[in-house]
Amino acid sequence: MTIPALEALFARQESLAPQSRAHTYTYLFCDLKTDVLLAELPLSGVQYGTVLNGIGVMRAHVPYADETLPLGPDAATVPGRTAVYVDRDGVIVWAGILWTRTPNGSGWDIACAEFLSYYEHRYIKTTLSTEPDQITDTDHVPDGQMLYANQKHMVWSLFNYCHAQPYGNPGISTALLATAAEGPNRLMTYRGYERPEVYRAVYELSQAEDGFDFGVEVGWTASTNNNPPTRYKRHRMWYPRRGRTAAESGLVFAHGGPASSIVSYDWPEAGTQLATETSGIGEGEGEATIVRTAQATDMLESGWLLLEAVSKFEGVYDATRLQSLTNADLAARSQATTQPRFVVEADADPPFGSYSVGDEGLFVIDPSTRMPSGKEQVLRIIAIDAAPATGAERVALTCAAV
């Protein structure tokens, strides 16, 4: 959810929370390359969010004040080389890279994005492929050009291709990607002369049929042998998906009744992006262009009309991969687009911290004048946005149909 949308959603809260407790927030500014702590700065106007398979953002104001100036706020907020960690009650709830700062009054307005944003600034400059006839050096990356075929190990290949280059390692561990293979093998070729973006390459892999979820986990290590905990950041891949089912999580968010945790909600439904047939267009010229089609026959046979959509997949030369992407596109489009948004109490049951993006939960709306019949549906959390507050904290959840 964008920051203006988050602000608007919080502004439409329908009631004040009866439950609240004080939370301690600490904001750590570190050198991006070495992770050495530069400063612990007080911030105001903080808003931060996490997105499933995406890149959440954080915005805040760094004030020039008597308590701040001795800490060196200018040196600790250099765009492009500063990592920022948000610690809530001893738990790192957000981390990423400071990308911009803008003078505002007496201080800086800063904008940050999660660590995956680093790979929006990295590109494949040498042709990498799973097919030996496409490359000259068949040693596996980062030493050569050969991609590991399994999708999990291919992600390892792409991130380590970045890290192996001089000055190209942001200190994010890839060790968890080097464990047992998960999911299908893929035939992939990334042509260096096209300069594919690394984050986009991984994201498109994740969105293929039988794909995966991915992200960068951050946190504190456990304290051992009287040594203080240290921060970690590591790449993760979840197959077939991140998060728990509703049955596993037991999460119930309710609006109305004694166990109410939902402060306000928007539950729109739209069919403008609905499709019962999708066409995927790959690379090629004229009649030689690769095209694949997928159709939701079950929907068509149950009474839906033919509703078509077309997607262009740049850099896709392989027909099998194109079919997989087209199938996944159909799966995403073949239901009415619905992304309900809820503002929930951070300290109500279930409390903030007991759920994450990818989790499913049961959302219950009791009958009211706004929704006379009420509503009850299992939804998947795809984005979480939060804003520290001196009083009752609230969290905005963006969800999608399961």
Side-chain angles (χ1 to χ4, degrees):
M1 186 186 300
T2 64
I3 293 297
L6 175 61
E7 291 172 340
L9 193 56
F10 281 137
R12 292 198 299 274
Q13 295 168 357
E14 296 174 351
S15 63
L16 293 176
Q19 303 181 38
S20 65
R21 68 181 182 88
H23 296 280
T24 301
Y25 276 87
T26 305
Y27 306 102
L28 307 175
F29 290 75
C30 304
D31 182 81
L32 177 60
K33 183 178 180 180
T34 65
D35 208 45
V36 170
L37 179 65
L38 302 173
E40 179 183 315
L41 298 176
L43 300 179
S44 62
V46 178
Q47 294 179 331
Y48 61 92
T50 303
V51 182
L52 182 66
N53 299 328
I55 299 171
V57 299
M58 170 193 161
R59 297 184 188 276
H61 181 71
V62 182
Y64 283 157
D66 291 342
E67 62 176 325
T68 308
L69 288 172
L71 303 175
D74 290 353
T77 59
V78 177
R81 64 168 301 171
T82 304
V84 181
Y85 297 87
V86 179
D87 181 292
R88 179 181 186 265
D89 297 337
V91 177
I92 296 177
V93 293
W94 193 94
I97 301 171
L98 192 158
W99 287 111
T100 66
R101 65 181 182 185
T102 306
N104 184 5
S106 182
W108 294 107
D109 283 345
I110 60 171
C112 314
E114 289 181 299
F115 281 122
L116 281 175
S117 63
Y118 173 70
Y119 302 96
E120 292 183 304
H121 298 262
R122 297 299 306 275
Y123 296 86
I124 298 170
K125 297 176 288 189
T126 300
T127 295
L128 305 177
S129 181
T130 56
E131 303 175 75
D133 61 349
Q134 298 291 318
I135 55 180
T136 56
D137 186 347
T138 56
D139 286 340
H140 285 86
V141 288
D143 297 319
Q145 295 171 262
M146 193 78 177
L147 294 171
Y148 286 103
N150 179 260
Q151 62 179 7
K152 181 178 182 180
H153 297 156
M154 193 178 298
V155 174
W156 179 94
S157 295
L158 292 172
F159 286 138
N160 276 282
Y161 166 79
C162 295
H163 297 179
Q165 295 178 50
Y167 316 109
N169 191 342
I172 305 174
S173 171
T174 59
L176 294 178
L177 300 177
T179 55
E182 295 180 288
N185 289 352
R186 308 281 187 188
L187 290 174
M188 295 296 301
T189 297
Y190 299 101
R191 303 183 189 281
Y193 59 81
E194 294 179 340
R195 292 298 195 266
E197 179 195 293
V198 172
Y199 167 74
R200 177 55 51 181
V202 174
Y203 177 80
E204 289 180 352
L205 270 176
S206 76
Q207 298 305 296
E209 187 179 30
D210 205 18
F212 54 89
D213 293 328
F214 69 104
V216 175
E217 278 190 335
V218 293
W220 293 105
T221 62
S223 177
T224 57
N225 298 324
N226 295 321
N227 294 318
T230 58
R231 291 177 296 277
Y232 65 79
K233 46 187 176 182
R234 58 197 184 197
H235 285 288
R236 282 288 306 272
M237 190 190 104
W238 294 266
Y239 176 81
R241 46 157 284 165
R242 180 179 185 176
R244 301 163 293 174
T245 66
E248 292 169 337
S249 73
L251 296 170
V252 178
F253 299 89
H255 185 271
S260 180
S261 59
I262 298 174
V263 178
S264 63
Y265 65 91
D266 286 321
W267 202 319
E269 294 186 54
T272 54
Q273 299 299 314
L274 180 70
T276 53
E277 180 181 289
T278 57
S279 295
I281 302 175
E283 295 293 348
E285 295 290 337
E287 294 298 325
T289 301
I290 307 171
V291 180
R292 288 294 180 269
T293 302
Q295 194 173 77
T297 55
D298 55 338
M299 294 180 66
L300 294 169
E301 291 173 356
S302 68
W304 288 87
L305 285 172
L306 182 64
L307 300 170
E308 297 173 304
V310 177
S311 297
K312 171 68 176 177
F313 297 100
E314 295 182 0
V316 178
Y317 297 86
D318 178 70
T320 301
R321 182 188 175 213
L322 181 61
Q323 185 67 65
S324 176
L325 290 168
T326 305
N327 293 346
D329 190 31
L330 176 66
R333 292 176 179 269
S334 59
Q335 56 185 335
T337 302
T338 173
Q339 286 196 352
R341 299 181 179 93
F342 306 89
V343 172
V344 301
E345 304 287 2
D347 293 320
D349 186 25
F352 181 43
S354 66
Y355 47 85
S356 64
V357 290
D359 281 342
E360 294 176 6
L362 177 64
F363 289 78
V364 180
I365 307 298
D366 280 359
S368 64
T369 55
R370 180 181 177 189
M371 192 173 284
S373 299
K375 200 172 183 71
E376 182 175 312
Q377 187 173 341
V378 171
L379 299 169
R380 191 181 188 200
I381 301 170
I382 60 172
I384 299 175
D385 294 280
T390 54
E393 282 193 359
R394 292 170 173 81
V395 179
L397 307 179
T398 303
C399 300
V402 175

